[in-house]
Amino acid sequence: MNVLVYLVPMALMLGLVGLVAFLWSLHNRQFDDLEGAGWRAIADDDIDPKS
Amino acid sequence: MTQALDPQAVRDLSMFVRTGADGADAMDLAVGGIKCAVCMATIEKGLSHEPGVVSARVNLASKRLTVEWTRGENSPERIIDRLDELGFRAHPFSPRKLDSEEAIEERKLLRCLGVAAFGAMNIMLLSVSVWSGNFSDITPETRDFFHWLSALIALPTAAYAGRPFYESALRALKAGAVNMDVPITLGVVLALGMSVVETWQHAEHAYFDSAVMLLFFLLIGRYLDQSVRRRTRDVASNLATLRADTASRILPDGTIVDVPVEAIDPGDVVLASPGQRIAVDGIVDSGQSDVDQSLITGETRHVPVARGANVYAGTLNISGQLRIRVTKAESGTLLAEIERLLTGAIEGRAKYVRLADRAARLYAPVVHTTAALTFIGWLIAGLAWKPALLIAITVLIITCPCALALAIPAVQVVATQALFRRSVLLHAPDALERLADVDTIVFDKTGTLTLPKPALANGGAIDPALLARAGQLAVASRHPLALAVAEAAGKPAAALDVREEPGAGVFALIDGAEARLGSLAFCDARDAGDAVAAAYPDASLIAFRHGEAVAVFAVEQGLRDDAVETVAGLKQAGFRLLILSGDRGEAVRRAADALGLDDFAGDLKPADKIARLAVLAGEGRKVLMVGDGLNDAPSLAAAHVSLSPVTAVHLAQAAADGVFLGDHLKPVSDSVRTAKIARKVMAQNLWLAVIYNIIAVPLAIAGFVTPLIAALAMSGSSILVTLNALSARR
């Protein structure tokens, strides 16, 4: 059971990283327009038409 | 005397500009017509090539646009013109209107939800290990370690994520009331407290997972509720902004500037051209005209005004140019009277107790008594006080109203969204429940049963060739009657060199003969006019002469397309229907006849309407009032629940509980129907929650409930009521 001493804190840490990432993106207003964000991913305005 | 048509005035929209990031000028706009990602790309690309524009970003969910530009290199007017070229109507928001309380509240709930989700997942991970370990070979040390770890996660999580509930519970208790958040708060605090004590004593069970999971489920409900409400608000405020009420202010030096109505102060002088809505309340300084006051009084016949007459915001200037001195509502005017009635109606409105709060009032004492009796019962049965207390607390935890607290908001979310799709925007939070009580519907006539825009009534009786020529003249005029003729003629291209005779009509040469469109006298068509006037007594007449050929058009506000069938449907469904209108009794009678209604009254003042509603309320009737005019505003506030069309005046919309969009009347019957279904599903859900408690509580009283059973029962019942709520979508 000694392995728990490493694994449990690691699992918690990973979870916390996810939580912090979520709060960060919320703070940066990435959740303000979920509809538009979905479409922006497939917009082709960054592709040079010649290539 | 003739004058040029459609003069271009200078606009001034600088009041909408705010300072954005890096000191650039910024502006937020409501944009009409954004439907998909293509529109989004068109706007953003189209604006990015404009001089000075730093960024242009569309929010597709809320249909809004934020533009930033370097100060001095562009202007709000230019950006709006560019959007117009791209095919989108846009109007800026006042800077203070943005970032509403709803949006802030929604972000707060989402933060809490994220934290609760993190806590619930990690604690459940540990709890499942403990539960399975309890059946096999977990050592007491490992279990204690897991429990302490759970406590370490659960306590801060609950402290943070539970705030919306604690705050609301405290508010309710301070006001001496009980709402659903009181038992929730109590359940969470007791579960956590007991678990800490149990863990301290190396016990087998701890309820950290139950407490945090409860918060997680409830926060999902709260968040969805808030987000639906905010979306409805967003759409409503976009629509309000896109109405873009502007007024032409006359500066002391005589120049005319178009400014937003918000920038007009009492004492300013504004110009109202024929065909324009008058944007302010005031007194006519000079000029002579007829005014369509149907939005204010319900009266469809035009009222002549001259120097010294009162005019009201929302009325339509028909024939001549007016200079209006802006005044505040003074005592004795119609406006002051309506405001006084409105205040009275709002104060007199009975406080509606929502279903959820009624359930909470019943529920809290029952549960707390049960827990107390359990404790006493086990003491009498000979158990020591500590295990007896433990069982009593388990009863409180298991009855913690997870399902009960979700039962109503879940239905609310589903039904509000269903109505949203059917173009009804409810803005009062309890409007849905009040709509479900309705057994009587009172309609205003003008602008509610009828369309606010006048249309040609006798189009079938007129030679199509003549109508087409009349249309060529009509499109050149801004007169509302001419607009109706142009619409009926299919908006042809304007004839060449159309000139206007102010107050009389327009004329031009078509096919070598003089064509005139205007008053009966202007077109020399009095005889033909008498016949049409007899056939269409409510209509306004406009004549057309081309050489020797004469036509007289009857223009009136027709009934909404589906008014007859909607009214028939409501009647069949057993609703009592009435028309209460400020228009002439004759006109109201004809509309009632067309709709097959025998309960109607005309010539009503705002106070008369309220009196009629009071009589109905005295008979125990729950009235849905549907109206759009300024004269309806007090009765909209006084009725049990109220709706107004989106074309209504601001005051009426603010007084109503909801707004419906479009040219149809069907949203009214839809909203009542959906509300009734929603009420039924809410009742079902409450019963489901009761059945859950009937099964779970005896188990808890008997002392059989473990954290595993609590977790299963709680999530099971929550999912059940949520799934059931989806049936309110119909």
Side-chain angles (χ1 to χ4, degrees), chain B residues 616-629:
Chain B
L616 286 169
E619 290 168 15
R621 299 227 156 232
K622 304 283 187 206
V623 178
L624 162 61
M625 172 84 201
V626 191
D628 73 322

Side-chain angles (χ1 to χ4, degrees), chain B residues 578-593:
Chain B
L578 293 90
I579 303 179
L580 298 181
S581 174
D583 202 359
R584 282 161 297 133
E586 259 311 283
V588 181
R589 191 181 58 74
R590 269 188 295 275
D593 281 351

Side-chain angles (χ1 to χ4, degrees), chain A residues 1 4 8 11-12 15-16 19 22-23 26 29 31-36 39-40 44-45, chain B residues 37 40 44-45 57-61 63 99 107 110-111 114-115 118 122 142 146 149 153:
Chain A
M1 284 301 183
L4 287 177
V8 169
L12 272 179
L16 267 177
L19 180 65
F22 171 73
L23 292 178
L26 189 65
R29 308 199 145 228
F31 280 78
D32 281 8
D33 180 19
L34 293 175
E35 229 171 293
W39 287 104
R40 279 176 208 280
D44 54 2
D45 52 358
Chain B
M40 178 169 82
E44 291 183 352
K45 246 186 250 170
R57 200 169 168 92
V58 172
N59 184 326
L60 194 57
K63 317 278 187 258
D99 238 10
R107 267 206 295 281
L110 198 53
R111 264 199 315 271
V115 172
F118 162 79
N122 283 284
T142 316
F146 276 14
L149 215 52
I153 306 167

Side-chain angles (χ1 to χ4, degrees), chain A residues 19, chain B residues 111-123 157 161 212 216 219:
Chain A
L19 180 65
Chain B
R111 264 199 315 271
C112 289
L113 183 60
V115 172
F118 162 79
M121 278 188 285
N122 283 284
I123 296 170
T157 302
V212 177
F216 175 57
L219 279 168

Side-chain angles (χ1 to χ4, degrees), chain B residues 161-173:
Chain B
R163 283 176 312 159
F165 304 100
Y166 313 148
E167 284 160 11
S168 148
L170 271 181
R171 262 201 308 275
L173 288 178

